[in-house]
Amino acid sequence: MCLCNEVRQLADLFDENEAKRLTSDLNKHLATIRAILGKSKALARDVRYQVVLNNQRTMKILSIRDSDITRANQIYRKYKDNIKGFWVSSNDLVHAELRRRLACVSIYLLSKMNAAEQVPPIVADLVRGAKLSELRYAGRKYIKIARKLGSIGSIIWLPLDVPASTYERYLSMDDEEAFAHLQLLGVNAPDYTYFVQHLVSYQLTGSGDPYFMASYYNMVLDYGDIMQRSDRLMLLLYALGGAHVPAKLLENVRLPKRRWNAEGEVEIITAVEFGLPSDLVQLLSDDNLISLMTTRPEVEASALEDGTSTWSIFTDIEARFSSILTSETEERLTHLALRLICFVTPPPLEGNTSWSFPMKKATWVLLEKMIERKRIPESLRTQVIESLLYFSERDSFPIRRLAISRARSLLKKTLPYYYHSSVTLFESILFRLDGNLVKSISKIQDFFATSQVLVTRLDNALKGRLHISLIETKIQHYDNDIASCLYGWEGAHPLSTLEIEVTRRLQGTAARFFQSIGDFPTARASLEQHLWLNSTKPIRHNTRLLIVGRLAEIYCELHEYEKATELLQPELDAIPGGEKKGRPYRRLLLARAEASIGQKELDEAESILNVLANIEPPALDDMNDQVLHMRRMIATARTAHEQFRYQDALRLWKTGLHSMEQLSIFRSKHPWTAALIYVSMAHAQLMTGDNNGGKQSWAVAVEISKSERCEYVIPVVADTWARKIVGEIHQLQGWPFRIMLPGGRPDLLWP
């Protein structure tokens, strides 16, 4: 209802509470009417009513048409590098008035610090004869005025033509007209924030008394905007853990946060909207301050292995803060730091790779320490869970496992479906990556049996992600019911952005299923449909790379090597340098190497595989990384084999077999790969004249193949390569061999 109708209703049927609710709107409208009448005398005569301010004393503010800040600026230039000199009495009336304002602020803050002497001797001349309570009230009022005007520095440029009593006693904080006018007057004023902070901090800490310093630092959360910037940042570093805090973590506060809303769409929110103090965001947005911190003697600058700058405070400073900060300040600072980390953390469900692994690992150390050390407030519970989900999604397996465990511990029955389903999703994925397929399946099936009713589009998308995870595990478990339940989820039309993402994933999973049973034409059709699904919505970068890599692998399975190269090369060329160690890039390179082998461009394949060897992560604790490693090892051996370098090939096949023995998860999930390696070794041994060695290797491969089914986890190898090598050996030696095919297809037999 518009204000006019509400006013008419109140006139007919008055309600005190409803009238008070309209106070702010009435003030704004009456101020606007008053301004209109003030612009036209003729109109003012024709209107039968006058709009007169209740508080005539604030008329002085409204009467000022142009604020001259020249005099205030002269004081600033004179004392900006002489803070102590500012507090010395002079005959300059402007200087005296500004001293008085800031003396009142200092007196108020000293009272908050419970200082025994609340009037610094250096300003005693300014306040002689005044009541201490009035001075404190005036100081508090100046702080409130400055904050409403957007900056503590506005205490300097507040028009000097207005009596001090108007600001200190008569100006109502609800007088929107007066404040709007003040903001208009100060629109071109310089930013005096740092000047005010230095002046007030000098009074609060100038004595160096330990008690004063302790009280000063404990004011950080309520009066941080009045503290010196570097002091406040030091306390923030301390709250973040004090050691190896990535500079980007603080700088990223400037960027808006992306997150999924209930409709399954991405929404953008700012740091202030997320709950971070606006003055802190402004502080962290200052490039000069960021560089200034590196010059502070208490701060040590270093870098992560990828060059990301980090800051640490020395342990004696950390110990000092720990001893002087109250438990309440410690807790509130930790909550602030926790909120900051939650804001800058990328959203889950995207496989986001915008953070380098060193940056992600360093941030995890900070987050995990805070969660372990402090109780999570209810207001931050869901934000912390979302951050933990991001750390559960990619990269280090130990971090992922710990992050999802922490997220599970924070769940409550009353939380929405999104949080419960997301935690269950990543738990199931981690069970699968750890080789525990039965637990991965039961985790999701148990959740479906007991989960809440779906309410939002976001809920439906998460149900789809759970369905996909279940199917992916069933594929690896060789379940027989996959075809009947493959498309057991669908989005509600029109599809939301997240439902489109999930639908694309489902198409990709379907392709993986068809690939797993050797139905490559159907897998190709599914992936091509996946790639072009709803082309009005662009595919996320990582999703596209995954699709392109898998489709290129299928082209190689179908011997369409040129088509694979044409698909891959533009994507490889477009990947920025910072992403050329990540898993998506390595997948594409492996597919490109496969295409080169298929086209007999073996030197090119060897060059690509050497690049892959140099960018492979040292720790292969993730199942996906183990698969990529074994793909590289086998492709390297095949390349030497295709070049007729049989001795080198034999050595490389043995190295690959040794690697497989070290990778317990891969070995347990893909045992038939060993049979393929032994067959390849047998061929190389026969080609070098080692018939006995070849026969022994062949016998091991035959024994493994009696109990283990053929797998297509490593493209081309199980189909094209195995058929070629087994066929050649059979032709040479006549030895029998049997390959059990998946998907209910008849076995391959020689003879």
Side-chain angles (χ1 to χ4, degrees), residues 272-477:
V272 174
E273 291 168 339
F274 194 76
L276 289 169
S278 58
D279 53 294
L280 177 63
V281 175
Q282 187 177 7
L283 172 75
L284 296 176
S285 301
D286 187 342
D287 286 322
N288 293 327
L289 176 64
I290 299 293
S291 59
L292 174 68
M293 280 305 297
T294 60
T295 65
R296 281 202 59 145
E298 308 96 326
V299 176
E300 180 182 25
S302 59
L304 302 175
E305 49 263 47
D306 67 339
T308 300
S309 298
T310 65
W311 292 331
S312 303
I313 54 177
F314 289 114
T315 52
D316 58 330
I317 302 299
E318 191 173 0
R320 180 185 171 204
F321 282 149
S322 180
S323 65
I324 64 176
L325 295 177
T326 66
S327 58
E328 181 188 2
T329 303
E330 281 257 12
E331 185 174 36
R332 290 176 64 193
L333 265 176
T334 300
H335 293 170
L336 176 65
L338 194 55
R339 188 178 293 275
L340 186 150
I341 288 180
C342 291
F343 175 76
V344 300
T345 302
L349 304 177
E350 292 189 352
N352 195 294
T353 58
S354 58
W355 282 8
S356 68
F357 178 65
M359 164 82 174
K360 188 173 182 179
K361 183 178 178 182
T363 305
W364 165 253
V365 170
L366 305 179
L367 176 62
E368 206 272 329
K369 189 186 295 184
M370 275 189 273
I371 293 173
E372 187 178 40
R373 191 175 56 186
K374 296 290 183 182
R375 182 181 61 84
I376 305 300
E378 200 59 37
S379 61
L380 280 174
R381 182 182 296 272
T382 56
Q383 289 93 328
V384 172
I385 291 174
E386 282 214 279
S387 290
L388 289 169
L389 291 175
Y390 165 72
F391 287 99
S392 305
E393 193 168 9
R394 292 183 68 86
D395 301 315
S396 166
F397 198 79
I399 289 176
R400 294 172 71 178
R401 191 152 41 191
L402 187 53
I404 202 62
S405 174
R406 297 283 192 210
R408 167 64 67 184
S409 70
L410 289 173
L411 285 179
K412 295 173 65 177
K413 286 186 178 180
T414 53
L415 288 180
Y417 179 93
Y418 164 72
Y419 298 103
H420 289 274
S421 56
S422 295
V423 170
T424 302
L425 170 67
F426 291 123
E427 285 176 332
S428 75
I429 291 172
L430 291 175
F431 278 133
R432 180 170 69 248
L433 294 176
D434 204 24
N436 199 330
L437 303 182
V438 174
K439 273 194 175 180
S440 179
I441 290 172
S442 64
K443 173 60 70 172
I444 294 178
Q445 289 178 335
D446 291 348
F447 180 78
F448 281 159
T450 59
S451 63
Q452 306 152 309
V453 176
L454 304 187
V455 176
T456 67
R457 301 294 289 274
L458 181 62
D459 294 345
N460 189 48
L462 259 297
K463 184 177 181 182
R465 284 293 303 269
L466 285 166
H467 173 74
I468 290 168
S469 182
L470 179 63
I471 296 297
E472 288 177 339
T473 308
K474 280 175 167 287
I475 290 170
Q476 294 186 20
H477 198 243

Side-chain angles (χ1 to χ4, degrees), residues 603-618:
D603 290 341
E604 174 72 12
E606 197 168 23
S607 174
I608 293 170
L609 292 167
N610 286 335
V611 171
L612 277 163
N614 290 328
I615 62 175
E616 192 173 84

Side-chain angles (χ1 to χ4, degrees), residues 534-736:
N534 198 345
S535 57
T536 57
K537 295 254 185 179
I539 303 175
R540 275 196 306 109
H541 177 61
N542 281 350
T543 304
R544 180 176 178 80
L545 295 185
L546 183 62
I547 301 168
V548 167
R550 192 167 291 155
L551 183 55
E553 292 165 7
I554 297 298
Y555 286 152
C556 290
E557 295 278 18
L558 295 168
H559 304 167
E560 297 176 4
Y561 302 113
E562 289 186 11
K563 202 169 183 179
T565 301
E566 289 171 4
L567 179 66
L568 287 165
Q569 202 56 52
E571 302 295 337
L572 286 166
D573 292 341
I575 291 180
E579 296 181 21
K580 290 194 172 180
K581 285 189 177 181
R583 192 181 298 149
Y585 180 69
R586 286 183 279 127
R587 278 199 189 104
L588 293 186
L589 275 185
L590 278 165
R592 181 69 182 84
E594 197 59 62
S596 295
I597 294 172
Q599 292 173 295
K600 303 303 180 184
E601 297 171 351
L602 301 175
D603 290 341
E604 174 72 12
E606 197 168 23
S607 174
I608 293 170
L609 292 167
N610 286 335
V611 171
L612 277 163
N614 290 328
I615 62 175
E616 192 173 84
L620 299 173
D621 53 9
D622 183 285
M623 180 61 200
N624 291 317
D625 284 330
Q626 291 186 12
V627 170
L628 295 184
H629 171 76
M630 287 306 301
R631 283 181 61 181
R632 179 181 67 79
M633 299 296 290
I634 289 173
T636 304
R638 280 177 55 218
T639 302
H641 212 122
E642 294 278 18
Q643 291 171 324
F644 310 112
R645 295 186 290 113
Y646 295 118
Q647 289 289 1
D648 289 340
L650 183 59
R651 174 180 54 81
L652 290 167
W653 285 118
K654 288 180 178 179
T655 302
L657 187 62
H658 177 72
S659 285
M660 182 173 171
E661 289 169 353
Q662 305 305 308
L663 302 174
S664 58
I665 301 175
F666 181 90
R667 187 178 71 246
S668 65
K669 289 181 67 177
H670 305 295
W672 188 81
T673 305
L676 185 136
I677 293 175
Y678 275 111
V679 164
S680 303
M681 287 169 55
H683 187 274
Q685 287 165 325
L686 290 173
M687 292 301 102
T688 57
D690 183 4
N691 286 359
N692 287 334
K695 192 170 185 178
Q696 289 174 8
S697 296
W698 180 270
V700 176
V702 168
E703 197 62 32
I704 294 172
S705 289
K706 285 180 180 178
S707 58
E708 301 298 341
R709 196 186 309 272
C710 163
E711 299 173 300
Y712 297 98
V713 65
I714 299 180
V716 176
V717 176
D719 193 60
T720 303
W721 177 258
R723 288 172 187 259
K724 172 186 174 182
I725 293 300
V726 173
E728 288 184 9
I729 293 176
H730 179 71
Q731 191 172 8
L732 284 171
Q733 302 293 335
W735 297 337

